[in-house]
């Protein structure tokens, strides 16, 4: 009846990344062909459509839906035929009596570490798709504290990982080569790349935003082609429900804010508050129901784009 309103608000709050991180210090994950193959076996499009009602969009970037995203990054989709070809190129050609891929008489077996049981609805699909090509996957559910400890100590094959985004990224914290080997750093996958190191060294002396955007886009392109993560999905929006008694600015939240914004931006609207009280007492009363989606900040971008270009 409009007493409670629901909104999906699109803006430019940094998404960060979410996905399965490889431990490239371990074989066979030190081979980029294997990592790419495992990415192509993760049917994330199907998962988003069937399990999440198509509410999310696939991530192709480590700086998803931001000004730093490199739009030339590979768009990795489910492709078991390509995955098998890549595995063969990496030496995984033979199968044992159980139909499992083997190399040097060792079967391809790996473990996924995760901290929420709800992730199993995705991982069991992945487990079955990997089984079809001859890879055994063990799922290991642990407490958040245990996962963090094992991740920081590099005791994993693949780990479900999510990192919050920054409005102004600081790539060296996560991708600098000197942080790949020591434990308890954010370079959990162990990436070492001389070009990323060069960019990080210069990045701290870049004071123009446009220059930094170019630098981060180059890093993003390198990361995407190194396949250190099986990137999953994200939603460039925030969803919430609220009693129909508030006034708020256009866009509901700030251009780069999130669901924590309302307490500092919204106010009690006396007229709405009175109508809400009346409607709570009268079950026949209907309040105005606003649009469930708001794209003010996306429209705002279109308005200011010509000004920024000029």
């Amino acid at each position: 009846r409009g007493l409670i309103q629901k909104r999906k608000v699109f803006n430019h709050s940094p998404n960060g990344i979410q996905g399965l991180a490889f431990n490239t210090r371990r074989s066979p994950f030190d081979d980029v062909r294997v990592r790419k193959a495992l990415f192509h076996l993760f049917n994330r499009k199907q998962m988003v459509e069937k399990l999440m009602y198509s509410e999310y969009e696939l991530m192709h970037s480590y700086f998803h839906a931001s000004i730093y995203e490199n739009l030339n990054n590979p768009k990795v989709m489910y492709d078991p035929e390509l995955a098998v070809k890549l595995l063969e190129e990496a030496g995984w050609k033979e199968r044992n009596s159980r139909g499992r891929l083997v190399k040097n008489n060792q079967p391809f077996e790996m473990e996924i570490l995760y901290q929420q049981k709800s992730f199993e609805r995705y991982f069991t699909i992945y487990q079955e798709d990997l089984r079809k090509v001859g890879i055994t996957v063990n799922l290991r559910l642990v407490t958040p504290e245990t996962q963090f400890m094992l991740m920081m100590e590099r005791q994993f094959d693949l780990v479900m990982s999510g990192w919050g985004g920054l409005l102004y990224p600081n790539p060296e914290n996560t991708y600098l080569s000197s942080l790949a080997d020591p434990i308890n750093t954010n370079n959990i996958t162990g990436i070492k790349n001389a070009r990323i190191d060069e960019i990080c060294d210069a990045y701290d002396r870049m004071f123009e935003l446009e220059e930094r955007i170019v630098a981060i886009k180059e890093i993003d392109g390198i990361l995407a082609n190194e396949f250190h993560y099986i990137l999953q999905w994200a939603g460039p929006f925030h969803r919430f429900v609220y009693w129909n008694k508030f006034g708020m600015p256009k866009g509901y939240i700030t251009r780069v804010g999130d669901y924590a914004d309302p307490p500092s931006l919204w106010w009690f609207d006396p007229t709405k508050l009175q109508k809400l009280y009346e409607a709570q007492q009268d079950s026949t009363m209907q309040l105005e129901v606003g649009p469930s989606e708001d794209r003010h900040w996306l429209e705002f971008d279109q308005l200011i784009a010509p000004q920024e270009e000029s």
Side-chain angles (χ1 to χ4, degrees):
R1 293 190 293 125
L3 279 66
I4 291 177
Q5 303 278 318
K6 68 176 182 179
R7 296 290 183 270
K8 180 194 290 185
V9 179
F10 293 78
N11 74 342
H12 296 293
S13 177
N15 274 291
I17 60 172
Q18 175 180 303
L20 288 167
F22 291 104
N23 185 354
T24 64
R25 306 167 190 86
R26 292 183 175 182
S27 178
F29 314 113
D30 55 347
D31 190 321
V32 67
R33 294 168 297 185
V34 172
R35 299 195 298 270
K36 185 177 180 180
L38 292 174
F39 196 162
H40 277 293
L41 289 167
F42 193 79
N43 197 346
R44 52 188 185 152
K45 184 175 184 291
Q46 181 192 62
M47 295 175 192
V48 168
E49 291 176 351
K50 303 299 183 182
L51 301 179
M52 290 169 279
Y53 308 99
S54 299
E55 278 289 295
Y56 296 92
E57 58 188 35
L58 304 185
M59 302 182 78
H60 305 294
S61 166
Y62 289 66
F63 304 91
H64 177 73
S66 77
I67 57 177
Y68 306 101
E69 179 173 358
N70 189 329
L71 299 179
N72 295 318
N73 287 350
K75 308 301 187 286
V76 181
M77 304 302 290
Y78 180 66
D79 191 339
E81 292 185 5
L82 176 57
V84 169
K85 181 179 178 181
L86 288 165
L87 290 168
E88 289 177 351
E89 291 176 2
W92 295 94
K93 302 177 181 179
E94 306 298 326
R95 293 178 182 266
N96 62 17
S97 59
R98 298 179 57 199
R100 296 293 180 254
L101 286 177
V102 294
K103 181 179 179 181
N104 299 325
N105 295 319
Q106 295 298 316
F108 197 140
E109 186 171 343
M110 66 186 200
E111 178 182 85
I112 295 178
L113 189 69
Y114 60 102
Q115 60 169 297
Q116 293 184 28
K117 192 171 180 61
S118 60
F119 292 153
E120 291 176 1
R121 58 180 179 159
Y122 317 122
F123 296 154
T124 51
I125 294 174
Y126 190 38
Q127 187 180 47
E128 177 61 19
D129 284 336
L130 288 173
R131 184 194 64 78
K132 292 176 182 177
V133 299
I135 298 173
T136 299
V137 180
N138 299 314
L139 304 181
R140 184 180 177 190
L141 175 64
V142 296
T143 65
E145 296 80 6
T146 298
Q147 174 177 313
F148 187 77
M149 178 190 71
L150 294 174
M151 186 169 66
M152 289 293 107
E153 294 180 356
R154 319 315 193 203
Q155 300 301 313
F156 66 91
D157 292 335
L158 284 83
V159 61
M160 179 63 199
S161 178
W163 299 89
L166 296 174
L167 187 57
Y168 300 103
N170 185 9
E172 70 176 38
N173 283 349
T174 308
Y175 307 119
L176 205 63
S177 296
S178 61
L179 301 179
D181 293 328
I183 64 172
N184 297 318
T185 73
N186 287 350
N187 189 344
I188 62 171
T189 67
I191 188 168
K192 293 181 180 180
N193 184 280
R195 179 55 186 156
I196 289 180
D197 293 343
E198 290 177 2
I199 298 172
C200 287
D201 183 59
Y203 187 75
D204 288 340
R205 298 186 297 276
M206 295 178 187
F207 297 100
E208 295 296 330
L209 178 59
E210 290 304 317
E211 188 178 8
R212 287 190 156 212
I213 291 173
V214 171
I216 296 298
K217 282 185 175 181
E218 184 176 351
I219 290 177
D220 189 32
I222 295 170
L223 293 171
N225 284 281
E226 287 289 330
F227 301 98
H228 274 240
Y229 273 79
I230 296 175
L231 296 174
Q232 294 182 338
W233 41 76
F237 51 76
H238 301 276
R239 293 178 294 195
F240 45 85
V241 296
Y242 60 92
W243 287 107
N244 191 1
K245 60 182 178 181
F246 296 103
M248 63 277 293
K250 287 184 178 180
Y252 293 87
I253 54 181
T254 63
R255 190 181 187 188
V256 294
D258 57 25
Y259 60 87
D261 279 351
S264 62
L265 297 179
W266 295 11
W267 60 90
F268 288 114
D269 182 306
T271 302
K272 289 184 177 181
L273 186 60
Q274 181 60 39
K275 288 183 177 179
L276 175 64
Y277 287 155
E278 294 173 2
Q280 288 174 328
Q281 302 300 318
D282 181 357
S283 62
T284 66
M285 189 172 175
Q286 175 78 36
L287 300 183
E288 181 181 356
V289 178
S292 60
E293 292 192 1
D294 184 274
R295 299 175 183 268
H296 166 76
W297 289 116
L298 304 187
E299 295 164 358
F300 177 82
D301 287 347
Q302 299 303 314
L303 291 174
I304 68 169
Q307 302 175 32
E308 290 183 341
E309 292 174 1
S310 62

